Amino acid sequence: MTYKYPDAVLMIFCKAPVPGQVKTRLIPQLTAGQAAELHIELSTKTLQRAVQSNLCPVQLWCAPATEHLFFTESAANYPLVLRQQQGADLGERMHHAFCSAFADYSIALLIGCDCPSLTGQDLEQALTALNRGNEVVLAPAEDGGYVLIGFNRPQPELFDNMPWGTSRVLDETRDRIARHRLRHHELREQWDLDTPEDLERYRQH
């Protein structure tokens, strides 16, 4: 396959769609099974967007393991490679994924599966920004986090002791970028699907 950015990789973090373990903030509005089905729907759309424009190779970083049927079927249906997330917290897992990526690629992007507003154009803009010498690219989220982060070399200082799961992640990340004088580019603000209000927005969207 011919890629527009063959020296880049897009890493997608995804949890296995186990009822009661994904999209739990939507329960009890949804049953655990419905929440898992929604997670599958969002993840599938993310994979479709990731591969449709042949921007770069795609890796699906799985948790807790790559053996779940959703992951193996995804690898059969889409041109992607399965990898297993490793680390005690989100920061460790993300840093490990980036270090692994830079063994083979010069640019790496990381996204999750919870952002229905992220487009192929956003991914291309992120890759272009890193190709033009930015050291960090971010897509901020309305909830105070981010839905995409990308580098041209490992940046462990952006993952260590971060207040994951809070509204302070984006501000803290920006502070550290400034403190380390990293050249960075931000994409347009996005939104995650986490709450019942987000679900209503998604259904109208």
Side-chain angles (χ1 to χ4, degrees), residues 3-202:
Y3 294 108
K4 191 165 183 179
Y5 298 93
D7 61 338
V9 64
L10 174 63
M11 303 180 292
I12 302 171
F13 265 34
C14 188
K15 286 184 187 173
V18 178
Q21 295 182 20
V22 291
K23 291 280 159 249
T24 53
R25 289 166 68 185
L26 298 175
I27 303 169
Q29 179 170 347
L30 300 181
T31 67
Q34 288 171 329
E37 287 297 321
L38 177 65
H39 176 70
I40 290 172
E41 178 184 324
L42 291 169
S43 300
T44 301
K45 287 184 176 181
T46 300
L47 296 179
Q48 290 168 347
R49 275 196 302 273
V51 304
Q52 68 188 9
S53 30
N54 293 343
L55 287 172
C56 65
V58 176
Q59 297 175 350
L60 184 60
W61 284 78
C62 310
T66 57
E67 287 81 16
H68 191 282
L69 183 62
F70 175 72
F71 296 142
T72 55
E73 286 185 345
S74 295
N77 292 334
Y78 301 101
L80 55 82
V81 176
L82 299 181
R83 294 277 188 269
Q84 185 159 330
Q85 294 181 34
Q86 294 181 37
D89 70 2
L90 180 60
E92 275 188 30
R93 296 195 298 273
M94 293 167 79
H95 178 56
H96 170 263
F98 274 108
C99 289
S100 169
F102 288 123
D104 299 305
Y105 300 96
S106 58
I107 285 173
L109 295 180
L110 192 152
I111 63 173
C113 291
D114 299 331
C115 182
S117 62
L118 195 68
T119 66
Q121 288 90 346
D122 294 317
L123 297 175
E124 182 156 18
Q125 187 184 343
L127 291 168
T128 301
L130 290 169
N131 254 322
R132 289 178 176 167
N134 288 286
E135 295 163 285
V136 181
V137 64
L138 273 181
E142 292 177 2
D143 63 5
Y146 54 76
V147 301
L148 173 152
I149 191 165
F151 307 135
N152 53 20
R153 62 181 170 82
Q155 303 285 357
E157 65 276 4
L158 299 188
F159 297 127
D160 191 34
N161 286 322
M162 186 69 72
W164 302 113
T166 74
S167 59
R168 307 199 322 274
V169 170
L170 180 62
D171 286 343
E172 180 65 26
T173 302
R174 285 169 170 159
D175 286 347
R176 295 184 189 190
I177 286 170
R179 201 178 315 142
H180 290 88
R181 295 181 177 163
L182 300 172
R183 187 176 170 198
H184 92 293
H185 175 80
E186 290 196 7
L187 306 180
R188 66 192 177 95
E189 189 176 69
Q190 311 274 350
W191 58 279
D192 276 334
L193 201 168
D194 290 320
T195 66
E197 293 75 28
D198 298 332
L199 179 59
E200 192 58 38
R201 181 177 183 178
Y202 173 66

